[in-house]
């Protein structure tokens, strides 16, 4: 925010963000410059999210990932270099190149992990985006964010598959439409709206029976995440007994038949669970960043509240999990 204020004084702000200001207006861009976002977990998906936020003009982007860079991190995380292996944390390795993307942004490193975060630390941020965390850790973090009126995002990618969840609490937004008044002029009209988001805990306890024609990847991912939370690993070949137990529990909890869960698909995603594909990360991170920008700027109606991407089809599905009609 301090950099943005200094830039405004000498005209750098308008020059740097000229295209964005033309798109969503100066007031929205200023709200973004005053925003502070914490991103947790700096693998491929989060790196793409951070890149988009920094370029868009989010004032402060804080990186949290104390894990030391390993060789496998270099595949889809282009901010990490071979010289970082075994020496720097993922967050420390990512910071310099992210900062170079936008001199008006403030890119910083926050020590700690999703499990060590406290409500006091969360108060410093308008939004928190966590990747690579367990369901239980995500739910705990979301509850702390809600207490502080901090927006919450949770995202994950697994090879060809990905998903993300959005909780903006009580969110007000404005949709602007332009219509031609005559051949030479345009008229703009604005319509205000409000969305009420359920917590992650509420969303993950919702009834699934209203869903029609939902992507099979949705059910497979829920089984995969539930199994990981319960057994500490992603289900793959040889996990038939544990998988059957998880499917029965989910079917009972969400009032659906066990046949909605495709064992082969669950195992396929499980075999790719720790794989980051650059193309998938780029597509889904662009969508996550877009929702963050909508949440901060108050411009346009954001997604409510869950998205699943299936790279086999190159398509995604938006699902209102536990959201009011």
């Amino acid at each position: 925010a301090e950099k943005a204020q200094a830039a405004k004084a000498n005209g750098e702000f308008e020059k740097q963000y000229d295209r964005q200001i033309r798109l969503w207006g100066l007031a929205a861009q200023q709200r973004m410059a005053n925003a502070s976002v914490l991103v947790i977990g700096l693998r491929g998906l989060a790196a793409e999210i951070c890149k988009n936020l920094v370029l868009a003009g989010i004032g402060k982007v804080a990186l949290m990932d104390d894990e030391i860079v390993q060789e496998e991190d270099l595949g889809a995380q282009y901010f990490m270099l071979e010289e970082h292996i075994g020496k720097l944390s993922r967050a420390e390795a990512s910071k310099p190149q992210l900062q170079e993307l936008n001199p008006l942004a403030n890119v910083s490193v926050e020590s700690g992990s999703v499990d060590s975060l406290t409500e006091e630390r969360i108060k410093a941020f308008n939004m928190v985006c966590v990747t690579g965390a367990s369901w239980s850790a995500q739910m705990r973090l979301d509850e702390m964010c809600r207490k502080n009126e901090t927006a919450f995002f949770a995202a994950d990618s697994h090879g060809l598959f990905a998903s993300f969840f959005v909780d903006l609490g009580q969110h007000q937004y404005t949709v602007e439409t332009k219509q031609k008044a005559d051949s030479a002029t345009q008229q703009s009209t604005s319509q205000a709206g409000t969305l009420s988001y359920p917590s992650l805990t509420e969303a993950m306890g919702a009834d699934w029976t209203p869903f029609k024609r939902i992507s099979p990847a949705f059910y497979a991912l829920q089984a995969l995440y539930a199994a990981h939370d319960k057994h500490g690993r992603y289900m793959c070949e040889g996990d038939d007994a544990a998988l059957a137990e998880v499917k029965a529990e989910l079917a009972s909890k969400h009032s659906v038949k066990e046949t909605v869960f495709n064992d082969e698909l669950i195992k396929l995603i499980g075999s790719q669970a720790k794989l980051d594909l650059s193309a998938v990360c780029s597509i889904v991170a662009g969508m996550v960043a877009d929702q963050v920008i909508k949440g901060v700027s108050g411009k346009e109606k954001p997604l409510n509240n869950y998205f699943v991407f299936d790279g086999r089809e190159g398509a995604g599905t938006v699902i209102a999990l536990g959201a009011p009609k």
Side-chain angles (χ1 to χ4, degrees):
E2 292 83 359
K3 291 184 179 180
Q5 291 295 336
K8 288 173 190 174
N10 57 26
E12 287 183 28
F13 186 84
E14 285 79 1
K15 183 179 179 179
Q16 175 77 17
Y17 300 124
D18 178 67
R19 292 179 64 185
Q20 286 110 296
I21 291 172
R22 291 172 185 268
L23 179 62
W24 49 59
L26 180 60
Q29 192 65 47
Q30 289 174 333
R31 285 194 290 272
M32 291 167 60
N34 292 328
S36 181
V37 179
L38 172 65
V39 181
I40 306 168
L42 266 295
R43 296 187 62 183
L45 180 61
E48 288 279 0
I49 293 171
C50 290
K51 177 200 74 176
N52 292 328
L53 297 181
V54 169
L55 289 174
I58 296 296
K60 179 179 179 180
V61 178
L63 317 175
M64 177 177 284
D65 192 333
D66 287 346
E67 291 292 321
I68 300 300
V69 176
Q70 303 298 320
E71 185 174 358
E72 55 265 29
D73 291 324
L74 306 186
Q77 220 286 31
Y78 41 73
F79 295 126
M80 298 180 192
L81 306 175
E82 191 172 346
E83 63 199 54
H84 297 150
I85 296 174
K87 297 178 181 179
L88 297 179
S89 71
R90 291 174 181 158
E92 292 169 331
S94 303
K95 178 183 179 295
Q97 294 191 72
L98 275 168
Q99 183 64 77
E100 287 180 9
L101 294 176
N102 186 352
L104 298 189
N106 180 6
V107 181
S108 62
V109 173
E110 290 277 332
S111 62
S113 67
V114 64
D115 295 320
S116 66
L117 273 174
T118 62
E119 289 185 33
E120 192 60 34
R121 293 185 72 181
I122 288 172
K123 287 180 181 178
F125 303 97
N126 302 105
M127 293 192 173
V128 172
C129 178
V130 60
T131 66
S134 66
W135 256 2
S136 55
Q138 291 178 20
M139 290 177 185
R140 170 183 169 273
L141 181 56
D142 182 38
E143 292 302 326
M144 288 195 294
C145 285
R146 289 177 72 88
K147 290 179 181 178
N148 288 283
E149 297 184 351
T150 299
F152 173 83
F153 293 78
D156 279 296
S157 68
H158 311 286
L160 288 169
F161 305 87
S163 67
F164 67 84
F165 172 79
V166 180
D167 178 6
L168 299 179
Q170 294 293 321
H171 179 71
Q172 295 181 334
Y173 63 92
T174 301
V175 176
E176 185 175 296
T177 56
K178 294 182 178 180
Q179 296 178 328
K180 282 191 175 181
D182 52 49
S183 59
T185 61
Q186 283 188 334
Q187 287 184 341
S188 296
T189 58
S190 297
Q191 183 176 357
T194 302
L195 286 173
S196 179
Y197 286 79
S199 69
L200 181 60
T201 301
E202 291 168 337
M204 290 306 161
D207 188 350
W208 291 348
T209 53
F211 301 154
K212 305 295 182 184
R213 298 180 182 177
I214 291 298
S215 167
F218 166 75
Y219 298 109
L221 282 166
Q222 306 319 300
L224 195 75
Y225 296 149
H228 183 270
D229 232 37
K230 184 170 184 176
H231 298 285
R233 68 181 189 279
Y234 292 110
M235 298 289 101
C236 51
E237 295 298 332
D239 287 322
D240 292 354
L243 184 55
E245 181 184 3
V246 168
K247 289 193 305 179
E249 291 175 355
L250 287 176
S252 175
K253 179 179 180 180
H254 299 287
S255 305
V256 294
K257 296 180 180 179
E258 289 185 37
T259 52
V260 301
F261 301 101
N262 184 314
D263 286 13
E264 294 306 313
L265 182 55
I266 295 170
K267 293 175 182 178
L268 172 64
I269 302 176
S271 69
Q272 303 178 13
K274 297 183 179 181
L275 175 65
D276 285 329
L277 294 181
S278 295
V280 173
C281 290
S282 178
I283 292 169
V284 177
M287 295 190 67
V288 174
D290 184 49
Q291 301 310 310
V292 172
I293 291 168
K294 287 179 180 179
V296 171
S297 68
K299 303 283 284 187
E300 302 301 323
K301 183 178 180 179
L303 179 150
N304 189 9
N305 54 1
Y306 195 76
F307 179 81
V308 174
F309 181 77
D310 186 339
R312 300 172 305 170
E313 301 176 357
T317 304
V318 176
I319 307 166
L321 283 178
K325 300 299 181 183

